[in-house]
Amino acid sequence: MSALQPTSVGDRIRAGWRIARGLFRAGYAYMTEYRAELILWALANSLPFILMGAWTQASTRGHFALSPLDLVRYFLAVFVVRQLTVVWVLWEVEQQVQGGKLAPQLLQPVDPAWRHLMNHVAERVARLPFAASLVVLFFALYPAAFFVPSAMTLALFLVLVAAAFLLRFLVQYTLAMLCFWTERASSIEQLNFVLYMFLGGAIAPLDFFPPAVRAVADWTPFPSMMWLPCRVLLGGVPTAEVARAVAVLVGWCVVFFVASRLLWRAGLRRFSAMGA
Amino acid sequence: MNEHAPPADAATLVEARGLSRIFRVPVHGEGTGAALRHFLARRYKDVVAVDDVTFSIRRGERIGFLGANGAGKTTTLKMLSGLLLPTKGSVRIGGVDPFPKAPAFLRRIALVMGNKQQLLWDLPAKETFRLNAAIYGIDDATYARRVDELATMLDVARLLDQPVRKLSLGERMKCELLASLIHGPDVLFLDEPTLGLDVNAQVAVREFLRRYNETTGATILLTSHYMADITALCDRVLVIHEGRLIFDGDLRALARRFAPRKELRLELPAAVTAADVAHVAGDGVAGDGVAHVATDGRVVRFAVDPAQLSATLVRALTTLNPVDVTVTEPPIEDSIARILRGDTGGTTPTTTATHSAPATTATTEPRA
């Protein structure tokens, strides 16, 4: 056997990097096979533009927490965040468990979760040029909305988007583990998606919610998946509120990471009991 | 599971002791009432897929698992590779319990399933090879050398840049094999590797496995429905029937056990009469050790127990003056076909019986 077996921490990091690079490479090659689909997937997330039109119209006639121009920028940010945080891992897992493709992967020395994660990262990179083109097109059609955030704000936005993606991935991966018990875990994700769109701030900014709903929503995982990075990009959110939201985000990441690992172990026992 | 003593022999690679696997399956009646009862309170029954199977395999052996559909072959293979936890008994591969799937263990095995695919469908097979090389931590030089060697052996070098979806079934299976062997495993589990392939592709896969075994010393365990896979490739056969190991030995011993009678063919100077047949059969003296098979003009055929062969030949030669006599072994394929149909010829399916019989224990020398 000439396969390298990592021993020291440095070796492990190098081995992990090689695996991540290999998974990314394969994932990217796979995604670029679907050029036409990538454009369609990017366009499919155009709901924020529809809601942008509706809310901007409404805001010209009433008093809202955000100005019409802020609303335009908010929904543009929602569009960008959705592009960068789209997750479909549940359908992948469902297909593998039910189609019998999981067994061969279990016999490879890398957790299948890494494959899914790197597939998502690779898809993001492949999709980026199309999503960026749509943003440029938007500014060309609506130059008044153009704005340049500070470097610090942009950096914080990108970190929060990465964290939002991670949390969305962990939540859906946790739900995906239910595939070991039920044939249609995707129906549970449909409910999760409705909550995500509503409490995440895709339908309306959380700033518009009644205080009681807002108070509950703030403790759920959803606002940090969309509203938080979008509002940070626009600016004007008190630092304490951002800090609290980040703490909630980190807390939910830990909760769903632990839950997904526990369900994975229990699921594998179940998978084995059913005959693998 | 610490009941495992260290292997008696350093050359022993696979040790399965008292291996059993019971599945709990829901019982579902017919009709609306049954459906409602099933919804409210599920009933289950235990199905014994593998029952108290014990065997050991030495390094470098080529082993064929034989049995009818649902006999327990694939379940056994899954327990050996670590996918399934045995309900009872234990498995050790090179002294290691496979079920925890330790990375060091996974690096030395490969499982190829004829009905499952690991190749990335829309990409050239090379992309899967590269991915596997990254997963197993294979350096670039080793990767290039292995792909080159294996592609030459499998005759697929020209196919590696084509998308997998464009390949034929046989070409895909060859690429599946290549993808599974990039990390140089020394234990190969193959579940129906020639399933659905045409005869040429079957021969190619078979020949490749033989050469891989001979050049690397890897141990090969395969299940197959194609008799030719087993007869052409395997030194030793394990026959599983209704979850139990009913035979463990080489092919000749298999023929002796499941088709123990030899065929005696006599060509007489004149047409065969009923009296001739009765005489050769010993007029009942030989019991059922001699059975008349068929008569065709001057030719008559008998199935003869080896213990009765000399006496039967003497009777035939001294009184019937045959112009031609032939004694043949029935073809091994016939025996295997009977086993695959689930017809074990009245053999009591007991594992211990086959294991204690010296004639049926493995005599194959390790190649490694």
Side-chain angles (χ1 to χ4, degrees):
Chain A
M1 284 192 298
S2 61
L4 304 173
Q5 294 198 28
T7 46
S8 71
V9 175
D11 279 350
R12 279 172 192 278
I13 292 171
R14 272 190 292 277
W17 174 245
R18 275 177 66 97
I19 292 174
R21 219 177 44 187
L23 291 171
F24 175 81
R25 191 194 133 101
Y28 187 75
Y30 209 74
M31 288 306 162
T32 49
E33 280 291 306
Y34 301 105
R35 282 169 303 183
E37 285 86 344
L38 278 172
I39 299 170
L40 290 173
W41 292 336
L43 285 171
N45 279 311
S46 51
L47 180 69
F49 291 119
I50 297 165
L51 290 164
M52 177 195 290
W55 280 111
T56 314
Q57 277 298 312
S59 68
T60 55
R61 291 179 208 142
H63 291 288
F64 287 95
L66 295 173
S67 70
L69 197 58
D70 276 346
L71 274 169
V72 170
R73 287 172 180 163
Y74 176 81
F75 281 108
L76 182 64
V78 168
F79 171 77
V80 172
V81 171
R82 283 283 294 138
Q83 294 292 331
L84 296 176
T85 60
V86 170
V87 171
W88 64 90
V89 66
L90 187 138
W91 285 270
E92 276 188 359
V93 173
E94 196 170 69
Q95 200 181 18
Q96 286 181 350
V97 171
Q98 285 165 17
K101 290 194 168 180
L102 182 63
Q105 285 193 12
L106 292 177
L107 294 183
Q108 292 198 325
V110 61
D111 192 304
W114 289 109
R115 282 175 181 265
H116 298 303
L117 186 67
M118 291 315 291
N119 274 349
H120 280 71
V121 173
E123 191 268 356
R124 216 63 10 124
V125 175
R127 178 198 284 246
L128 207 56
F130 302 108
S133 307
L134 288 171
V135 173
V136 170
L137 180 68
F138 179 82
F139 283 133
L141 294 172
Y142 197 171
F146 186 73
F147 71 110
V148 180
S150 71
M152 189 63 191
T153 304
L154 191 64
L156 183 59
F157 170 73
L158 291 175
V159 170
L160 287 174
V161 167
F165 162 66
L166 188 65
L167 179 56
R168 174 101 177 100
F169 182 86
L170 286 170
V171 169
Q172 208 185 80
Y173 194 64
T174 304
L175 295 179
M177 295 300 102
L178 301 177
C179 293
F180 290 114
W181 288 271
T182 169
E183 300 222 332
R184 287 285 168 262
S186 46
S187 50
I188 301 165
E189 167 57 19
Q190 281 164 5
L191 172 65
N192 176 49
F193 186 74
V194 170
L195 291 171
Y196 161 69
M197 292 298 277
F198 179 64
L199 298 176
I203 309 297
L206 262 63
D207 313 69
F208 295 0
F209 283 19
V213 179
R214 176 74 195 273
V216 174
D218 277 349
W219 293 102
T220 68
F222 305 107
S224 48
M225 293 181 196
M226 210 152 21
W227 177 85
L228 178 64
C230 295
R231 283 298 276 114
V232 164
L233 190 66
L234 257 62
V237 187
T239 311
E241 197 176 333
V242 174
R244 190 194 49 75
V246 169
V248 172
L249 167 71
V250 172
W252 280 117
C253 279
V254 172
V255 167
F256 280 101
F257 175 76
V258 172
S260 67
R261 290 287 86 188
L262 291 175
L263 285 170
W264 169 250
R265 274 183 215 140
L268 281 189
R269 280 197 295 275
R270 165 100 180 162
F271 186 64
S272 170
M274 300 306 283
Chain B
M1 290 191 293
N2 287 327
E3 73 270 30
H4 246 275
D9 181 346
T12 300
L13 181 70
V14 177
E15 283 267 344
R17 292 195 184 171
L19 210 54
S20 298
R21 177 70 217 202
I22 299 168
F23 291 116
R24 200 162 160 251
V25 292
V27 183
H28 204 309
E30 279 180 42
T32 314
L36 187 63
R37 278 195 296 280
H38 185 70
F39 179 76
L40 294 172
R42 303 217 163 169
R43 284 188 304 121
Y44 294 89
K45 68 172 180 181
D46 286 344
V47 173
V48 181
V50 174
D51 186 10
D52 195 22
V53 165
T54 297
F55 59 87
S56 62
I57 293 170
R58 293 156 68 93
R59 278 174 217 285
E61 278 193 279
R62 295 192 301 251
I63 308 281
F65 279 95
L66 204 59
N69 276 336
K73 307 183 298 289
T74 302
T75 304
T76 306
L77 217 54
K78 284 181 173 175
M79 286 193 281
L80 294 179
S81 61
L83 276 177
L84 285 182
L85 184 65
T87 311
K88 268 191 291 188
S90 65
V91 186
R92 291 292 182 276
I93 311 282
V96 174
D97 178 4
F99 190 71
K101 294 182 263 302
F105 166 74
L106 296 180
R107 283 195 166 85
R108 60 179 301 194
I109 68 149
L111 172 68
V112 180
M113 294 196 256
N115 57 351
K116 303 274 161 62
Q117 178 187 300
Q118 65 156 317
L119 295 170
L120 300 166
W121 184 249
D122 287 317
L123 295 180
K126 250 184 181 168
E127 291 290 348
T128 308
F129 305 160
R130 279 207 166 276
L131 174 62
N132 283 2
I135 286 172
Y136 287 97
I138 311 291
D139 61 73
D140 291 346
T142 310
Y143 166 76
R145 181 172 51 76
R146 288 228 176 105
V147 170
D148 190 44
E149 281 171 8
L150 294 167
T152 307
M153 280 166 81
L154 284 159
D155 190 26
V156 291
R158 70 193 188 290
L159 305 173
L160 303 186
D161 292 322
Q162 293 177 29
V164 170
R165 63 169 186 270
K166 301 275 185 199
L167 303 179
S168 71
L169 195 60
E171 291 167 343
R172 274 212 301 276
M173 179 41 76
K174 288 180 181 177
C175 291
E176 283 285 343
L177 278 168
L178 207 164
S180 302
L181 300 176
I182 286 284
H183 61 292
D186 64 354
V187 189
L188 262 69
F189 301 105
L190 301 129
D191 190 22
E192 306 276 0
T194 55
L195 192 72
L197 305 189
D198 65 33
V199 177
N200 288 339
Q202 283 179 32
V203 170
V205 166
R206 218 176 275 152
E207 275 314 300
F208 167 76
L209 291 173
R210 174 193 290 282
R211 283 187 63 195
Y212 186 80
N213 161 265
E214 287 171 356
T215 53
T216 66
T219 309
I220 294 181
L221 295 93
L222 76 103
T223 72
S224 181
H225 264 89
Y226 297 112
M227 292 171 242
D229 283 350
I230 307 286
T231 53
L233 197 59
C234 299
D235 315 303
R236 185 178 151 202
V237 183
L238 301 179
V239 181
I240 299 182
H241 180 65
E242 293 176 355
R244 309 204 75 180
L245 187 67
I246 59 165
F247 176 82
D248 176 356
D250 65 23
L251 281 167
R252 271 170 308 186
L254 179 73
R256 279 199 300 275
R257 186 172 178 91
F258 291 99
R261 294 189 165 197
K262 293 183 187 295
E263 185 178 277
L264 170 63
R265 180 183 174 279
L266 300 169
E267 188 180 339
L268 305 185
V272 180
T273 63
D276 294 337
V277 172
H279 182 71
V280 174
D283 297 316
V285 177
D288 57 3
V290 183
H292 174 232
V293 175
T295 302
D296 180 15
R298 294 190 295 121
V299 175
V300 60
R301 289 188 292 130
F302 297 91
V304 185
D305 191 292
Q308 301 280 345
L309 188 61
S310 306
T312 310
L313 268 173
V314 168
R315 279 197 302 276
L317 291 171
T318 51
T319 57
L320 300 179
N321 293 319
V323 292
D324 190 25
V325 177
T326 15
V327 178
T328 52
E329 300 260 2
I332 182 76
E333 283 76 7
D334 290 355
S335 325
I336 294 177
R338 280 178 49 207
I339 297 163
L340 290 181
R341 287 197 304 268
D343 170 14
T344 55
T347 308
T348 312
T350 53
T351 313
T352 46
T354 54
H355 270 269
S356 56
T360 60
T361 49
T363 52
T364 319
E365 289 302 315
R367 283 181 159 70

